[in-house]
Amino acid sequence: MTSEARIKQLTEEINYHLYRYHVLDSPIISDAEYDELYRELLALEESHPDLVTPDSPTQRAGAEPLVAFEKVTHPAPILSLANAFNEEDLRAWRTRIGRLLPNPDLRLDYVVEPKLDGLTVVLTYQDGIFVQGATRGNGVVGENITKNLRTIDSLPRRIPVDPNSDLTPPPTIVIRGEVFFPLDKFEVLNAARLAAGDPLYMNPRNTAAGSLRQLDPAKTAERSLTLYCYDFITWEGIALPDQQWERLDLLRRLGFPVSPDNVYCQRIEQVAGIYQQWIEKRNQINYEVDGVVVKINDRPLADSLGFSGKDPRGSIAMKFPAQEKTTKLLDVQVNVGRTGILAPAAVLEAVEIGGVIVRNATLHNYDEIDRKDIRIGDTVLVKRAGDVIP
Ligand code: IVH
């Protein structure tokens, strides 16, 4: 086999194993076997630099730092949604839609997706190859962050990812997704910073945003970012199904990571139930959600409803109650942990956050308290992360 053919084969294989590992969560080879394939590809590419392709998995961290981000104009506006805050708002949305339908009682079905608290990205694939990734920017013009996005393991560099797929790569598709920092990885990052005496990061969203906008892709590669995709912005040479539910499935079959928490709902009553369930479970999953997005499953019908201002009428964002409140710091106590570690804890004026009364908060360590200059009597911003232990 020629080097060129072997490089092509290895690229395909490694990309498929990355997909098995990061998207499907079901690897079929061991880490050591993976490393072996990767090293073989790396060695071949080193001796044939002209044969390095943009979809090569080695292109994760090797890129040169940029001086500034290029601007890119999106092929279609990257829109946002109107908000609802409770079941009543949801009903009102359904009633408004009804007025625009020939029959207000027309049976509609829905897809309810977690509203990921991350950063929107716009991903362009040409002949199946990931060629450009951009931030949302102002919705019309974003920034070219292709090199940074290539460092994300779960982002397909070539579609369909599965070499045995019966799908053929479309000439052009542009996909919308949300990049985020998984909470377990965020905690690991902050723990390492704490140990190194570096200031802690405030929250996963801002950290994900900062990581994506690094001019040096090697910095982005150090962060464990991932993404979920949920929409086609434009497409060419591929027949899209009419249903949002089917479109999500198509995204999955092409190899894009899609949230496993999306739900199909036959009726609006079910949508309200899912929203309530999410409020309960939002603190038990490994990513931050700030609401659910309710979408009319019939996309051509949804699109035909047009816009209210800039917001498409066919979907609505149902936000969750805030998980941040301000309160007063009453005292700082020191607890002795199981391993003998001294852990300072804040005693707070009781405050209700997301249906739970919070009276205590961990303070990480004295350096952190010192750095933030926290004093008794201060007003502090308390953020609920995870389930509160009463
Ligand atoms: S649909 C016009 N689906 O939440 C279509 N958005 O206001 C609008 N988001 O700016 C987007 N997860 O950045 C959609 N599953 C999801 C989403 C989602 C997060 C973000 C998105 C958008 C905002 C909605």
Side-chain angles (χ1 to χ4, degrees):
M1 189 185 295
T2 62
S3 298
E4 186 170 6
R6 182 63 184 151
I7 285 178
K8 185 166 177 284
Q9 194 181 49
L10 283 167
T11 297
E12 207 168 83
E13 246 182 81
I14 294 170
N15 280 336
Y16 181 61
H17 291 307
L18 282 168
Y19 163 74
R20 297 283 323 190
Y21 187 92
H22 292 282
V23 179
L24 299 186
D25 229 346
S26 124
I28 46 174
I29 58 171
S30 69
D31 289 3
E33 286 162 324
Y34 174 85
D35 289 341
E36 200 173 308
L37 293 174
Y38 191 88
R39 275 198 304 270
E40 185 187 344
L41 178 62
L42 205 58
L44 274 174
E45 287 181 341
E46 267 166 19
S47 38
H48 306 277
D50 51 313
L51 296 180
V52 178
T53 59
D55 66 326
S56 168
T58 63
Q59 296 311 290
R60 287 189 70 230
E64 288 294 303
L66 299 169
V67 178
F69 293 109
E70 239 178 80
K71 301 271 179 234
V72 288
T73 303
H74 301 307
I78 306 302
L79 302 166
S80 192
L81 294 177
N83 289 328
F85 296 93
N86 49 46
E87 219 177 305
E88 205 182 318
D89 295 348
L90 176 71
R91 300 267 171 195
W93 170 68
R94 177 62 186 86
T95 307
R96 284 196 303 276
I97 292 169
R99 287 195 210 107
L100 299 167
L101 297 173
N103 165 12
D105 298 323
L106 180 76
R107 265 228 11 229
L108 297 176
D109 55 354
Y110 309 86
V111 175
V112 181
E113 302 172 12
K115 181 163 152 25
L116 306 153
D117 198 6
L119 291 308
T120 292
V121 289
V122 180
L123 311 168
T124 305
Y125 289 78
Q126 248 146 25
D127 297 321
I129 307 278
F130 174 59
V131 291
Q132 184 178 283
T135 61
R136 177 172 186 265
N138 62 10
V140 176
V141 176
E143 285 176 323
N144 187 335
I145 53 162
T146 311
K147 292 197 169 85
N148 293 353
L149 287 168
R150 282 211 178 100
T151 71
I152 300 181
D153 282 328
S154 53
L155 184 138
R157 290 161 193 79
R158 177 193 280 266
I159 51 163
V161 177
D162 188 338
N164 300 316
S165 165
D166 53 355
L167 297 165
T168 44
T172 314
I173 55 169
V174 181
I175 303 296
R176 178 171 183 166
E178 209 79 2
V179 169
F180 60 93
F181 215 128
L183 294 179
D184 55 348
K185 302 281 168 50
F186 181 71
E187 274 159 28
V188 169
L189 176 71
N190 257 349
R193 291 184 70 86
L194 190 61
D198 294 333
L200 299 185
Y201 289 119
M202 268 283 276
N203 65 54
R205 187 184 184 279
N206 291 354
T207 314
S211 308
L212 267 191
R213 296 193 67 263
Q214 291 286 338
L215 289 167
D216 182 357
K219 293 246 161 61
T220 313
E222 284 168 16
R223 307 285 170 77
S224 315
L225 298 177
T226 188
L227 82 163
Y228 283 142
C229 298
Y230 52 82
D231 209 0
F232 293 81
I233 304 283
T234 57
W235 57 94
E236 228 176 76
I238 184 168
L240 286 197
D242 282 346
Q243 282 81 27
Q244 172 65 6
W245 189 244
E246 304 294 324
R247 289 188 188 184
L248 291 170
D249 187 55
L250 176 60
L251 283 171
R252 208 173 273 126
R253 285 189 293 127
L254 287 167
F256 290 98
V258 173
S259 170
D261 298 311
N262 297 329
V263 185
Y264 170 76
C265 292
Q266 205 123 47
R267 316 175 59 86
I268 199 127
E269 290 75 18
Q270 241 173 308
V271 172
I274 298 289
Y275 172 70
Q276 284 307 330
Q277 278 174 26
W278 262 108
I279 292 179
E280 304 293 318
K281 82 167 181 192
R282 66 182 293 205
N283 287 305
Q284 291 157 22
I285 54 169
N286 198 23
Y287 53 92
E288 288 202 314
V289 279
D290 59 346
V292 293
V293 180
V294 183
K295 302 179 178 177
I296 293 178
N297 193 28
D298 182 336
R299 291 294 304 263
L301 180 117
D303 295 343
S304 76
L305 295 172
F307 299 84
S308 161
K310 277 193 166 179
D311 304 322
R313 289 201 179 92
S315 309
I316 195 156
M318 285 188 85
K319 301 289 280 276
F320 296 145
Q323 300 228 88
E324 279 185 355
K325 287 261 176 84
T326 52
T327 187
K328 218 158 135 180
L329 178 66
L330 301 178
D331 196 9
V332 174
Q333 292 177 346
V334 179
N335 300 326
V336 184
R338 221 166 11 95
T339 53
I341 280 179
L342 298 182
V347 180
L348 305 167
E349 199 168 88
V351 59
E352 184 267 347
I353 310 181
V356 180
I357 306 295
V358 178
R359 290 194 175 83
N360 299 288
T362 48
L363 283 171
H364 296 294
N365 73 6
Y366 281 114
D367 291 347
E368 196 64 12
I369 298 172
D370 193 34
R371 206 181 54 76
K372 293 205 169 115
D373 193 24
I374 298 175
R375 288 159 194 243
I376 290 171
D378 280 358
T379 298
V380 289
L381 180 70
V382 186
K383 182 179 171 188
R384 178 176 161 187
D387 269 345
V388 176
I389 301 151

